[in-house]
Amino acid sequence: DAKTTQPTSMDCAEGRAANLPCNHSTISGNEYVYWYRQIHSQGPQYIIHGLKNNETNEMASLIITEDRKSSTLILPHATLRDTAVYYCIVRVFGAGSYQLTFGKGTKLSVIP
Amino acid sequence: EPEVTQTPSHQVTQMGQEVILRCVPISNHLYFYWYRQILGQKVEFLVSFYNNEISEKSEIFDDQFSVERPDGSNFTLKIRSTKLEDSAMYFCASRTESRSGNTIYFGEGSWLTVV
């Protein structure tokens, strides 16, 4: 799986948008970008995934650059409960076990 | 919303004892996983399981570890003779097999403390 690079930590004011960047310059054509988060040692929670088009769900938006070498996860109105470690993972989408490889992620602190 | 459930939430065991961690994956899922996270470290892949056999395992998953799906609903991780360094949070995960459903969903974890 392609390697990703994320900032170690970020702060965001409560109610503002949190924009979390991720670089994945070696991503291959059959790899998707997945985002998970982990709130204080709870199980990793799936947020969103995408291939090349921008995606939105009830939790977040995912913006992927045209060359697919980087992406941004956007939490539109961050709350204190969004304080967590956010992981950007690239992974093949398809049949097979295709496990996830977690890096250190970005520790997002939402500040009142 | 369907979820992966794990028991126990916390277990303390003496070094050298056998431990079994249990998981009930989401009901229509076919791929099952165990991960672990030592305190303050990254989430690490241990093993994946499909069609009643191990499909992939990491270097961590040595002969002390085994997995089983004994009854079609539970998925277990057994550690035969626990060591101090096995103290960690263990996460079970599962996913279905379809073109539209490829996401891996995690349980809340089982804290294992080896003393």
Side-chain angles (χ1 to χ4, degrees), chain B residues 16-36:
Chain B
Q17 295 295 304
E18 176 182 283
V19 160
I20 297 176
L21 304 179
R22 290 181 170 80
C23 168
V24 179
I26 296 173
S27 63
N28 65 339
H29 285 191
L30 300 176
Y31 291 88
F32 314 112
Y33 305 82
W34 283 101
Y35 286 76
R36 80 170 186 190

PDB file of all heavy atoms in Angstrom, chain B residues 16-36:
ATOM      1  N   GLY B  16       1.981 -15.943  31.328  1.00  0.00           N
ATOM      2  CA  GLY B  16       1.981 -17.388  31.130  1.00  0.00           C
ATOM      3  C   GLY B  16       0.597 -17.995  31.002  1.00  0.00           C
ATOM      4  O   GLY B  16       0.464 -19.144  30.583  1.00  0.00           O
ATOM      5  N   GLN B  17      -0.426 -17.243  31.340  1.00  0.00           N
ATOM      6  CA  GLN B  17      -1.788 -17.749  31.230  1.00  0.00           C
ATOM      7  C   GLN B  17      -2.307 -17.605  29.812  1.00  0.00           C
ATOM      8  O   GLN B  17      -1.859 -16.758  29.036  1.00  0.00           O
ATOM      9  CB  GLN B  17      -2.716 -16.990  32.185  1.00  0.00           C
ATOM     10  CG  GLN B  17      -2.393 -17.212  33.661  1.00  0.00           C
ATOM     11  CD  GLN B  17      -2.612 -18.657  34.065  1.00  0.00           C
ATOM     12  OE1 GLN B  17      -3.693 -19.212  33.890  1.00  0.00           O
ATOM     13  NE2 GLN B  17      -1.569 -19.266  34.608  1.00  0.00           N
ATOM     14  N   GLU B  18      -3.286 -18.426  29.481  1.00  0.00           N
ATOM     15  CA  GLU B  18      -3.953 -18.350  28.177  1.00  0.00           C
ATOM     16  C   GLU B  18      -5.102 -17.348  28.252  1.00  0.00           C
ATOM     17  O   GLU B  18      -5.799 -17.253  29.268  1.00  0.00           O
ATOM     18  CB  GLU B  18      -4.502 -19.730  27.807  1.00  0.00           C
ATOM     19  CG  GLU B  18      -5.309 -19.758  26.522  1.00  0.00           C
ATOM     20  CD  GLU B  18      -5.875 -21.127  26.230  1.00  0.00           C
ATOM     21  OE1 GLU B  18      -5.116 -22.002  25.782  1.00  0.00           O
ATOM     22  OE2 GLU B  18      -7.096 -21.316  26.450  1.00  0.00           O
ATOM     23  N   VAL B  19      -5.271 -16.620  27.183  1.00  0.00           N
ATOM     24  CA  VAL B  19      -6.345 -15.634  27.113  1.00  0.00           C
ATOM     25  C   VAL B  19      -7.116 -15.837  25.806  1.00  0.00           C
ATOM     26  O   VAL B  19      -6.503 -16.103  24.759  1.00  0.00           O
ATOM     27  CB  VAL B  19      -5.753 -14.205  27.155  1.00  0.00           C
ATOM     28  CG1 VAL B  19      -6.730 -13.193  26.621  1.00  0.00           C
ATOM     29  CG2 VAL B  19      -5.353 -13.837  28.567  1.00  0.00           C
ATOM     30  N   ILE B  20      -8.422 -15.714  25.884  1.00  0.00           N
ATOM     31  CA  ILE B  20      -9.252 -15.740  24.677  1.00  0.00           C
ATOM     32  C   ILE B  20     -10.054 -14.444  24.624  1.00  0.00           C
ATOM     33  O   ILE B  20     -10.793 -14.120  25.550  1.00  0.00           O
ATOM     34  CB  ILE B  20     -10.204 -16.944  24.652  1.00  0.00           C
ATOM     35  CG1 ILE B  20      -9.398 -18.249  24.624  1.00  0.00           C
ATOM     36  CG2 ILE B  20     -11.127 -16.872  23.434  1.00  0.00           C
ATOM     37  CD1 ILE B  20     -10.262 -19.499  24.687  1.00  0.00           C
ATOM     38  N   LEU B  21      -9.884 -13.725  23.547  1.00  0.00           N
ATOM     39  CA  LEU B  21     -10.655 -12.505  23.309  1.00  0.00           C
ATOM     40  C   LEU B  21     -11.710 -12.833  22.265  1.00  0.00           C
ATOM     41  O   LEU B  21     -11.416 -13.477  21.255  1.00  0.00           O
ATOM     42  CB  LEU B  21      -9.737 -11.377  22.825  1.00  0.00           C
ATOM     43  CG  LEU B  21      -8.563 -11.051  23.746  1.00  0.00           C
ATOM     44  CD1 LEU B  21      -7.716  -9.940  23.131  1.00  0.00           C
ATOM     45  CD2 LEU B  21      -9.029 -10.669  25.133  1.00  0.00           C
ATOM     46  N   ARG B  22     -12.920 -12.355  22.527  1.00  0.00           N
ATOM     47  CA  ARG B  22     -14.049 -12.731  21.672  1.00  0.00           C
ATOM     48  C   ARG B  22     -14.608 -11.539  20.921  1.00  0.00           C
ATOM     49  O   ARG B  22     -14.598 -10.405  21.406  1.00  0.00           O
ATOM     50  CB  ARG B  22     -15.142 -13.380  22.510  1.00  0.00           C
ATOM     51  CG  ARG B  22     -14.748 -14.747  23.034  1.00  0.00           C
ATOM     52  CD  ARG B  22     -15.829 -15.416  23.843  1.00  0.00           C
ATOM     53  NE  ARG B  22     -15.487 -16.812  24.109  1.00  0.00           N
ATOM     54  CZ  ARG B  22     -14.662 -17.219  25.060  1.00  0.00           C
ATOM     55  NH1 ARG B  22     -14.092 -16.351  25.859  1.00  0.00           N
ATOM     56  NH2 ARG B  22     -14.427 -18.512  25.224  1.00  0.00           N
ATOM     57  N   CYS B  23     -15.138 -11.827  19.761  1.00  0.00           N
ATOM     58  CA  CYS B  23     -15.660 -10.794  18.884  1.00  0.00           C
ATOM     59  C   CYS B  23     -16.881 -11.347  18.171  1.00  0.00           C
ATOM     60  O   CYS B  23     -16.904 -12.521  17.784  1.00  0.00           O
ATOM     61  CB  CYS B  23     -14.572 -10.407  17.878  1.00  0.00           C
ATOM     62  SG  CYS B  23     -15.106  -9.397  16.503  1.00  0.00           S
ATOM     63  N   VAL B  24     -17.901 -10.512  18.020  1.00  0.00           N
ATOM     64  CA  VAL B  24     -19.020 -10.847  17.148  1.00  0.00           C
ATOM     65  C   VAL B  24     -18.992  -9.850  16.009  1.00  0.00           C
ATOM     66  O   VAL B  24     -19.312  -8.671  16.188  1.00  0.00           O
ATOM     67  CB  VAL B  24     -20.367 -10.788  17.884  1.00  0.00           C
ATOM     68  CG1 VAL B  24     -21.510 -11.118  16.916  1.00  0.00           C
ATOM     69  CG2 VAL B  24     -20.374 -11.747  19.063  1.00  0.00           C
ATOM     70  N   PRO B  25     -18.544 -10.280  14.824  1.00  0.00           N
ATOM     71  CA  PRO B  25     -18.492  -9.362  13.684  1.00  0.00           C
ATOM     72  C   PRO B  25     -19.899  -8.990  13.211  1.00  0.00           C
ATOM     73  O   PRO B  25     -20.891  -9.587  13.637  1.00  0.00           O
ATOM     74  CB  PRO B  25     -17.767 -10.190  12.611  1.00  0.00           C
ATOM     75  CG  PRO B  25     -17.118 -11.310  13.335  1.00  0.00           C
ATOM     76  CD  PRO B  25     -17.988 -11.592  14.512  1.00  0.00           C
ATOM     77  N   ILE B  26     -19.972  -8.023  12.339  1.00  0.00           N
ATOM     78  CA  ILE B  26     -21.244  -7.646  11.730  1.00  0.00           C
ATOM     79  C   ILE B  26     -21.764  -8.833  10.919  1.00  0.00           C
ATOM     80  O   ILE B  26     -20.992  -9.495  10.216  1.00  0.00           O
ATOM     81  CB  ILE B  26     -21.063  -6.377  10.876  1.00  0.00           C
ATOM     82  CG1 ILE B  26     -20.674  -5.218  11.787  1.00  0.00           C
ATOM     83  CG2 ILE B  26     -22.328  -6.061  10.085  1.00  0.00           C
ATOM     84  CD1 ILE B  26     -20.286  -3.935  11.070  1.00  0.00           C
ATOM     85  N   SER B  27     -23.062  -9.078  10.974  1.00  0.00           N
ATOM     86  CA  SER B  27     -23.611 -10.392  10.606  1.00  0.00           C
ATOM     87  C   SER B  27     -23.387 -10.818   9.165  1.00  0.00           C
ATOM     88  O   SER B  27     -23.180 -11.981   8.911  1.00  0.00           O
ATOM     89  CB  SER B  27     -25.103 -10.449  10.931  1.00  0.00           C
ATOM     90  OG  SER B  27     -25.793  -9.501  10.150  1.00  0.00           O
ATOM     91  N   ASN B  28     -23.405  -9.948   8.199  1.00  0.00           N
ATOM     92  CA  ASN B  28     -23.231 -10.389   6.815  1.00  0.00           C
ATOM     93  C   ASN B  28     -21.797 -10.232   6.321  1.00  0.00           C
ATOM     94  O   ASN B  28     -21.535 -10.340   5.129  1.00  0.00           O
ATOM     95  CB  ASN B  28     -24.197  -9.640   5.901  1.00  0.00           C
ATOM     96  CG  ASN B  28     -23.896  -8.157   5.865  1.00  0.00           C
ATOM     97  OD1 ASN B  28     -23.250  -7.627   6.771  1.00  0.00           O
ATOM     98  ND2 ASN B  28     -24.352  -7.486   4.831  1.00  0.00           N
ATOM     99  N   HIS B  29     -20.883  -9.992   7.246  1.00  0.00           N
ATOM    100  CA  HIS B  29     -19.491  -9.783   6.862  1.00  0.00           C
ATOM    101  C   HIS B  29     -18.751 -11.110   6.715  1.00  0.00           C
ATOM    102  O   HIS B  29     -19.074 -12.104   7.378  1.00  0.00           O
ATOM    103  CB  HIS B  29     -18.791  -8.873   7.877  1.00  0.00           C
ATOM    104  CG  HIS B  29     -19.184  -7.445   7.736  1.00  0.00           C
ATOM    105  ND1 HIS B  29     -18.520  -6.427   8.389  1.00  0.00           N
ATOM    106  CD2 HIS B  29     -20.151  -6.849   7.010  1.00  0.00           C
ATOM    107  CE1 HIS B  29     -19.079  -5.272   8.067  1.00  0.00           C
ATOM    108  NE2 HIS B  29     -20.075  -5.513   7.240  1.00  0.00           N
ATOM    109  N   LEU B  30     -17.763 -11.095   5.827  1.00  0.00           N
ATOM    110  CA  LEU B  30     -17.063 -12.322   5.478  1.00  0.00           C
ATOM    111  C   LEU B  30     -15.565 -12.269   5.795  1.00  0.00           C
ATOM    112  O   LEU B  30     -14.927 -13.313   5.881  1.00  0.00           O
ATOM    113  CB  LEU B  30     -17.247 -12.610   3.979  1.00  0.00           C
ATOM    114  CG  LEU B  30     -18.690 -12.801   3.518  1.00  0.00           C
ATOM    115  CD1 LEU B  30     -18.731 -12.970   2.001  1.00  0.00           C
ATOM    116  CD2 LEU B  30     -19.318 -14.008   4.202  1.00  0.00           C
ATOM    117  N   TYR B  31     -15.008 -11.083   5.936  1.00  0.00           N
ATOM    118  CA  TYR B  31     -13.593 -10.936   6.261  1.00  0.00           C
ATOM    119  C   TYR B  31     -13.485 -10.456   7.692  1.00  0.00           C
ATOM    120  O   TYR B  31     -14.194  -9.538   8.098  1.00  0.00           O
ATOM    121  CB  TYR B  31     -12.923  -9.913   5.338  1.00  0.00           C
ATOM    122  CG  TYR B  31     -12.790 -10.370   3.911  1.00  0.00           C
ATOM    123  CD1 TYR B  31     -13.808 -10.141   2.994  1.00  0.00           C
ATOM    124  CD2 TYR B  31     -11.643 -11.032   3.483  1.00  0.00           C
ATOM    125  CE1 TYR B  31     -13.694 -10.568   1.686  1.00  0.00           C
ATOM    126  CE2 TYR B  31     -11.525 -11.454   2.168  1.00  0.00           C
ATOM    127  CZ  TYR B  31     -12.544 -11.219   1.278  1.00  0.00           C
ATOM    128  OH  TYR B  31     -12.424 -11.642  -0.014  1.00  0.00           O
ATOM    129  N   PHE B  32     -12.579 -11.051   8.438  1.00  0.00           N
ATOM    130  CA  PHE B  32     -12.424 -10.727   9.848  1.00  0.00           C
ATOM    131  C   PHE B  32     -10.958 -10.443  10.155  1.00  0.00           C
ATOM    132  O   PHE B  32     -10.068 -11.038   9.540  1.00  0.00           O
ATOM    133  CB  PHE B  32     -12.951 -11.883  10.716  1.00  0.00           C
ATOM    134  CG  PHE B  32     -14.286 -12.392  10.264  1.00  0.00           C
ATOM    135  CD1 PHE B  32     -14.416 -13.651   9.711  1.00  0.00           C
ATOM    136  CD2 PHE B  32     -15.407 -11.593  10.367  1.00  0.00           C
ATOM    137  CE1 PHE B  32     -15.646 -14.110   9.265  1.00  0.00           C
ATOM    138  CE2 PHE B  32     -16.641 -12.047   9.925  1.00  0.00           C
ATOM    139  CZ  PHE B  32     -16.754 -13.310   9.371  1.00  0.00           C
ATOM    140  N   TYR B  33     -10.747  -9.535  11.092  1.00  0.00           N
ATOM    141  CA  TYR B  33      -9.402  -9.058  11.374  1.00  0.00           C
ATOM    142  C   TYR B  33      -9.191  -8.901  12.880  1.00  0.00           C
ATOM    143  O   TYR B  33     -10.137  -8.634  13.623  1.00  0.00           O
ATOM    144  CB  TYR B  33      -9.184  -7.670  10.752  1.00  0.00           C
ATOM    145  CG  TYR B  33      -9.463  -7.567   9.276  1.00  0.00           C
ATOM    146  CD1 TYR B  33     -10.769  -7.402   8.800  1.00  0.00           C
ATOM    147  CD2 TYR B  33      -8.430  -7.615   8.344  1.00  0.00           C
ATOM    148  CE1 TYR B  33     -11.027  -7.295   7.445  1.00  0.00           C
ATOM    149  CE2 TYR B  33      -8.686  -7.497   6.989  1.00  0.00           C
ATOM    150  CZ  TYR B  33      -9.982  -7.342   6.547  1.00  0.00           C
ATOM    151  OH  TYR B  33     -10.237  -7.234   5.202  1.00  0.00           O
ATOM    152  N   TRP B  34      -7.951  -9.036  13.282  1.00  0.00           N
ATOM    153  CA  TRP B  34      -7.518  -8.600  14.603  1.00  0.00           C
ATOM    154  C   TRP B  34      -6.359  -7.626  14.438  1.00  0.00           C
ATOM    155  O   TRP B  34      -5.439  -7.861  13.643  1.00  0.00           O
ATOM    156  CB  TRP B  34      -7.070  -9.771  15.480  1.00  0.00           C
ATOM    157  CG  TRP B  34      -8.213 -10.565  16.049  1.00  0.00           C
ATOM    158  CD1 TRP B  34      -8.686 -11.760  15.602  1.00  0.00           C
ATOM    159  CD2 TRP B  34      -9.024 -10.217  17.175  1.00  0.00           C
ATOM    160  NE1 TRP B  34      -9.741 -12.180  16.375  1.00  0.00           N
ATOM    161  CE2 TRP B  34      -9.964 -11.254  17.348  1.00  0.00           C
ATOM    162  CE3 TRP B  34      -9.040  -9.147  18.079  1.00  0.00           C
ATOM    163  CZ2 TRP B  34     -10.918 -11.244  18.372  1.00  0.00           C
ATOM    164  CZ3 TRP B  34      -9.996  -9.141  19.084  1.00  0.00           C
ATOM    165  CH2 TRP B  34     -10.921 -10.181  19.218  1.00  0.00           C
ATOM    166  N   TYR B  35      -6.445  -6.535  15.198  1.00  0.00           N
ATOM    167  CA  TYR B  35      -5.399  -5.535  15.287  1.00  0.00           C
ATOM    168  C   TYR B  35      -5.079  -5.367  16.764  1.00  0.00           C
ATOM    169  O   TYR B  35      -5.881  -5.710  17.635  1.00  0.00           O
ATOM    170  CB  TYR B  35      -5.881  -4.188  14.736  1.00  0.00           C
ATOM    171  CG  TYR B  35      -6.005  -4.105  13.245  1.00  0.00           C
ATOM    172  CD1 TYR B  35      -7.073  -4.699  12.577  1.00  0.00           C
ATOM    173  CD2 TYR B  35      -5.058  -3.405  12.495  1.00  0.00           C
ATOM    174  CE1 TYR B  35      -7.179  -4.612  11.195  1.00  0.00           C
ATOM    175  CE2 TYR B  35      -5.165  -3.311  11.120  1.00  0.00           C
ATOM    176  CZ  TYR B  35      -6.225  -3.912  10.482  1.00  0.00           C
ATOM    177  OH  TYR B  35      -6.332  -3.827   9.124  1.00  0.00           O
ATOM    178  N   ARG B  36      -3.919  -4.788  17.026  1.00  0.00           N
ATOM    179  CA  ARG B  36      -3.634  -4.433  18.408  1.00  0.00           C
ATOM    180  C   ARG B  36      -2.983  -3.057  18.452  1.00  0.00           C
ATOM    181  O   ARG B  36      -2.422  -2.575  17.457  1.00  0.00           O
ATOM    182  CB  ARG B  36      -2.719  -5.462  19.079  1.00  0.00           C
ATOM    183  CG  ARG B  36      -1.252  -5.314  18.736  1.00  0.00           C
ATOM    184  CD  ARG B  36      -0.368  -6.170  19.582  1.00  0.00           C
ATOM    185  NE  ARG B  36       1.031  -5.870  19.303  1.00  0.00           N
ATOM    186  CZ  ARG B  36       2.049  -6.572  19.742  1.00  0.00           C
ATOM    187  NH1 ARG B  36       1.835  -7.656  20.491  1.00  0.00           N
ATOM    188  NH2 ARG B  36       3.278  -6.230  19.447  1.00  0.00           N
TER     189      ARG B  36
END
